Amino acid sequence: MAQRIPQEVIDEVRSKTNIVEVVGQYVQLKKAGKNYSGLCPFHEEKTPSFSVAEDKQMFYCFGCGKGGNVFTFLQELEGLNFPEAVKRVADLEQIPLAFEIRSEPVSEVSSQQRQLLALHERVRDLYHHILMNTKVGEEALNYLHERGLNDELIEEFNIGFAPNERGFLVQVCQQDKIETAVMENSGLFVQREDGSFNDRFYQRVMFPLNDPRGRTVGFSGRLLVSKDFSGENQPKYLNSPETELFNKRQVLFNFDKARNEIRKQGEAILFEGFMDVLAAWQAGIKIGLASMGTSLTEQQIRAIERLTSHVILAYDGDSAGLTATERALRLLTDHSRLQLSAVTIPEKLDPDEYLRKYGAEELRNLLQHGRQTPFVFKMNYLEKGLNLENENDRLIYLNELVDELVKVQSPMEQDLYLGQLSERFDITREGLKQQLKQARRSQRSERREQRQVIDTTAPVPQKSSLSIVEKAERMLLYRGMNERSVRERLVQDEVQFVHDQYQELLLHLDSYMMVHDQFVLADFLNYLQEDSMKRLIIEISVLQMSEDSTEEEIYDLMQVISQAGIADEIKKRQKEQLEARKAGNQQRELELTIQIIELTKRLKQAEM
């Protein structure tokens, strides 16, 4: 069972927390009227439909329908139970708690995850200790010092060393009595045919890979070649395999540490490798990220989008790095919300090499003032391998540039580049504009064809529309939530809703108000036990209605419900009347006829 937390502790954490500040650490929020909006962290979307209401202390996504208070947000996003969510909010907001909240497993799956996390943290600390405090780690530590990393940085990132012994970690786990299933699922070992284990990582400098919460979920090991170990046929970098904890398509190196700084500065820098991120950090640039040695994935891009709309690519300056930059720009351009820049490192160096050669200040200057727009980068990149003195190569180059120019959103920027191309290649601006229009029409046609394929192969399910009666029930409950007089009237007049879920919600609302001085939506969500009730109250709370009700509005809404209730009663009596007729029960049939007549009169009076 999950731990019971005193209500006063829950109230204290909730009252001292602003949901905008907490959600803002996971989602890039922008002011939209009186609320804040951003991309939903619970489903894929390109247009923001996720809203956070500061006055109500709740969130809601109009796309996927998820919503709730600050505790619900962390439960949904990080898979926490309620006590863990309360503790997590308190930690994020630095709220001291007089009550100790223990983390307890809520299922067999989460229990195994906790064991895997504990094992990864144990291994991380062990590798780090070997690097910093043992003779075995001296050579690896010297290597890192030669690469320009100081001890403070090594401590900050918990960098370690896996010794050249295939059974080292196996012995540690056996001493700690780690279960075989945990070892098997950790990705830290290679299992032989006889069922025994070998260490996956050996003779490698170890970089812990963390999830957004800063928990170590995997490792990347950099081979350390020495006079005693040539490393022949060994990959330079070796990452943890896919496990229950680690998914390389989702993880970004340094995301957990850089997240708040990225949000503060409003931009992120993407590097190719871990050493580049570390070099930038040591130079005072703490907004660097790196993928797991592969191309960027949609999951990684969405994680970045939730933090910032400005991304700078600073990949290696060699040919492979430039190709990777072009590929990343092509992928990122599909995300129209992102403002993109690219930095080309001079002399075919990578950022780490540039730092060691020219120093921290020069690296900072390059990353700040050496930024190119995507189009300028493409101008330089597409020129590689072409002889622009050759007419055929020149036409190929211009056609590719015009296709790229279509993607430039700013008319002023487009006009600037048209002028540059016209002057450089002695072509009329009008001719280039005509070519641009043609390229734009061609791309629109391609997009239309793609949309038609999507429309015919993957129809989007439509949300069922609400009846007039159900809309009236929701509107009345909205008023009841926000206006004491309406709430008391609904209870005193014993209003009977047509749909049972709204009647149940009214009962919950009345019960809640018996022990609370005022209605607080964020607290009421904690009060409700059933998820269906929570979803319903959230959907009702985001209705667009005027600030205050009128007597006429409340009367009309109650009439709609009353009429619907009478109509249902008539249908019910008519069905019973038909059954009585079939059974030959004339007395019962007559009684029901009289009831139907009376109900019909009431319905007509209600409609007047």
Side-chain angles (χ1 to χ4, degrees):
M1 288 182 64
Q3 184 184 10
R4 297 281 297 181
I5 306 176
Q7 185 62 44
E8 58 268 21
V9 174
I10 299 171
D11 291 343
E12 179 191 9
V13 174
R14 180 184 51 74
S15 64
K16 290 182 177 179
T17 300
N18 186 335
I19 191 172
V20 174
E21 295 175 359
V22 174
V23 174
Q25 296 186 46
Y26 299 84
V27 180
Q28 184 189 4
L29 297 174
K30 291 185 177 179
K31 198 82 166 72
K34 67 176 184 177
N35 296 334
Y36 293 81
S37 68
L39 292 175
C40 180
F42 303 113
H43 80 288
E44 297 181 25
E45 63 176 7
K46 293 186 177 180
T47 304
S49 61
F50 181 82
S51 179
V52 181
E54 189 171 19
D55 58 339
K56 297 176 181 176
Q57 287 295 298
M58 62 159 284
F59 72 93
Y60 183 73
C61 177
F62 293 91
C64 67
K66 285 191 182 294
N69 58 20
V70 67
F71 304 129
T72 314
F73 178 79
L74 289 173
Q75 284 180 272
E76 290 279 356
L77 192 67
E78 298 191 356
L80 308 177
N81 61 28
F82 184 73
E84 290 172 329
V86 174
K87 185 177 187 303
R88 180 78 173 134
V89 172
D91 291 343
L92 287 170
E93 295 297 283
Q94 298 182 337
I95 301 170
L97 296 176
F99 179 80
E100 182 182 355
I101 300 175
R102 300 183 305 274
S103 294
E104 296 185 8
V106 293
S107 68
E108 187 176 338
V109 174
S110 64
S111 175
Q112 178 162 291
Q113 284 182 342
R114 283 170 173 77
Q115 292 180 64
L116 289 171
L117 286 167
L119 177 58
H120 276 76
E121 290 180 2
R122 168 88 165 99
V123 171
R124 178 199 65 201
D125 294 343
L126 185 60
Y127 285 155
H128 181 66
H129 176 81
I130 290 171
L131 175 72
M132 301 300 292
N133 302 291
T134 71
K135 183 75 173 174
V136 174
E138 269 187 13
E139 193 172 7
L141 187 59
N142 290 335
Y143 161 78
L144 291 172
H145 288 162
E146 289 168 7
R147 292 293 301 265
L149 275 61
N150 59 33
D151 288 350
E152 184 182 354
L153 188 70
I154 294 170
E155 292 280 359
E156 176 70 33
F157 284 85
N158 284 302
I159 300 170
F161 178 66
N164 187 16
E165 186 181 335
R166 296 299 305 269
F168 168 73
L169 207 55
V170 174
Q171 292 178 12
V172 171
C173 286
Q174 288 172 348
Q175 290 172 5
D176 290 353
K177 294 183 171 51
I178 303 296
E179 295 176 8
T180 301
V182 175
M183 293 176 64
E184 186 177 343
N185 294 326
S186 68
L188 297 170
F189 305 93
V190 176
Q191 195 167 19
R192 296 191 293 234
E193 290 185 4
D194 62 1
S196 62
F197 294 99
N198 277 339
D199 292 8
R200 180 179 297 276
F201 301 101
Y202 58 97
Q203 192 60 23
R204 290 181 181 273
V205 176
M206 300 297 289
F207 298 91
L209 305 175
N210 298 338
D211 67 7
R213 296 173 60 183
R215 304 178 304 182
T216 299
V217 294
F219 291 92
S220 182
R222 202 272 188 201
L223 186 68
L224 184 68
V225 177
S226 68
K227 63 178 185 295
D228 300 322
F229 187 84
S230 64
E232 191 175 352
N233 300 323
Q234 293 287 326
K236 183 178 179 181
Y237 278 97
L238 180 66
N239 292 336
S240 289
E242 299 277 312
T243 67
E244 188 175 350
L245 297 181
F246 179 69
N247 183 334
K248 67 180 180 181
R249 294 183 298 278
Q250 296 176 347
V251 173
L252 283 162
F253 183 71
N254 195 43
F255 186 87
D256 58 311
K257 296 180 184 297
R259 183 170 59 189
N260 288 338
E261 197 64 30
I262 289 172
R263 187 176 295 105
K264 190 186 301 180
Q265 295 189 31
E267 60 186 27
I269 302 177
L270 279 173
F271 295 104
E272 265 192 275
F274 303 157
M275 293 303 293
D276 299 324
V277 173
L278 296 172
W281 183 285
Q282 196 153 291
I285 301 164
K286 300 187 176 183
I287 55 173
L289 304 170
S291 57
M292 298 293 104
T294 57
S295 299
L296 280 170
T297 65
E298 286 292 327
Q299 295 99 315
Q300 291 166 339
I301 294 171
R302 286 200 301 275
I304 295 169
E305 276 186 308
R306 293 179 192 125
L307 297 181
T308 182
S309 59
H310 192 186
V311 175
I312 301 103
L313 291 165
Y315 288 177
D316 297 354
D318 59 9
S319 179
L322 294 176
T323 300
T325 303
E326 193 276 334
R327 186 169 57 243
L329 282 173
R330 200 173 343 118
L331 180 62
L332 289 163
T333 300
D334 293 337
H335 295 253
S336 57
R337 292 181 65 256
L338 291 176
Q339 301 170 24
L340 304 174
S341 305
V343 174
T344 301
I345 310 297
E347 303 174 35
K348 299 183 179 181
L349 300 175
D350 62 38
D352 174 37
E353 292 168 334
Y354 191 86
L355 170 71
R356 282 184 280 140
K357 185 171 183 178
Y358 294 106
E361 187 175 351
E362 283 301 313
L363 178 61
R364 286 194 296 270
N365 286 336
L366 177 65
L367 293 175
Q368 183 62 43
H369 304 297
R371 302 177 184 182
Q372 302 170 320
T373 66
F375 186 78
V376 169
F377 174 85
K378 292 288 182 72
M379 284 178 70
N380 297 325
Y381 177 77
L382 292 172
E383 193 173 339
K384 288 193 314 174
L386 294 176
N387 177 12
L388 297 185
E389 297 300 317
N390 178 282
E391 185 176 339
N392 187 56
D393 281 9
R394 192 160 61 247
L395 285 172
I396 291 172
Y397 179 66
L398 285 169
N399 279 325
E400 288 183 321
L401 280 184
V402 169
D403 285 342
E404 291 298 327
L405 198 52
V406 174
K407 301 171 187 175
V408 176
Q409 299 296 315
S410 166
M412 188 180 298
E413 193 179 345
Q414 273 192 353
D415 192 61
L416 175 66
Y417 298 138
L418 284 172
Q420 291 177 1
L421 293 174
S422 173
E423 184 177 342
R424 181 181 177 187
F425 294 99
D426 195 22
I427 301 173
T428 65
R429 189 184 286 255
E430 280 304 312
L432 286 170
K433 283 185 176 179
Q434 288 300 318
Q435 187 73 12
L436 184 63
K437 286 180 181 178
Q438 185 176 330
R440 191 179 288 123
R441 282 197 297 268
S442 177
Q443 290 189 18
R444 283 175 180 168
S445 177
E446 287 178 12
R447 284 197 295 269
R448 270 198 304 271
E449 290 174 6
Q450 290 172 355
R451 281 198 298 269
Q452 287 171 358
V453 171
I454 293 170
D455 289 343
T456 56
T457 58
V460 179
Q462 298 295 318
K463 289 184 179 179
S464 57
S465 57
L466 300 174
S467 66
I468 294 175
V469 177
E470 199 164 355
K471 286 179 181 177
E473 290 172 318
R474 290 187 174 214
M475 292 168 74
L476 266 181
L477 280 169
Y478 178 93
R479 292 304 188 196
M481 286 160 50
N482 294 285
E483 299 178 38
R484 180 184 293 272
S485 59
V486 174
R487 182 169 60 247
E488 291 174 348
R489 181 173 173 182
L490 292 175
V491 174
Q492 290 170 4
D493 291 358
E494 297 184 351
V495 171
Q496 293 296 312
F497 289 114
V498 175
H499 298 90
D500 291 341
Q501 67 264 37
Y502 299 113
Q503 194 69 43
E504 183 180 351
L505 196 52
L506 178 60
L507 291 173
H508 284 307
L509 182 59
D510 184 41
S511 299
Y512 173 83
M513 292 311 301
M514 286 180 180
V515 292
H516 292 81
D517 295 330
Q518 58 181 349
F519 179 78
V520 179
L521 178 60
D523 185 49
F524 186 53
L525 286 168
N526 293 337
Y527 175 84
L528 294 171
Q529 298 297 312
E530 296 179 23
D531 288 341
S532 59
M533 288 288 108
K534 292 181 180 182
R535 284 195 298 271
L536 190 57
I537 199 68
I538 290 166
E539 290 175 9
I540 291 171
S541 69
V542 296
L543 291 176
Q544 299 297 312
M545 298 185 69
S546 59
E547 190 170 343
D548 296 309
S549 66
T550 63
E551 177 62 33
E552 184 180 6
E553 176 198 323
I554 301 302
Y555 175 80
D556 289 344
L557 292 173
M558 292 179 72
Q559 284 294 94
V560 169
I561 294 170
S562 174
Q563 290 170 17
I566 296 171
D568 280 351
E569 282 296 317
I570 291 173
K571 288 179 182 178
K572 182 179 176 183
R573 298 293 188 275
Q574 287 173 336
K575 185 178 179 181
E576 291 178 7
Q577 186 186 46
L578 182 60
E579 291 171 355
R581 186 178 300 144
K582 287 179 180 179
N585 189 340
Q586 294 182 352
Q587 178 64 32
R588 179 59 179 158
E589 183 182 0
L590 181 60
E591 290 173 357
L592 289 167
T593 300
I594 294 170
Q595 291 176 18
I596 291 169
I597 292 170
E598 288 299 320
L599 286 169
T600 304
K601 284 180 182 178
R602 283 175 55 194
L603 182 61
K604 288 180 178 178
Q605 288 172 353
E607 290 173 347
M608 292 176 62

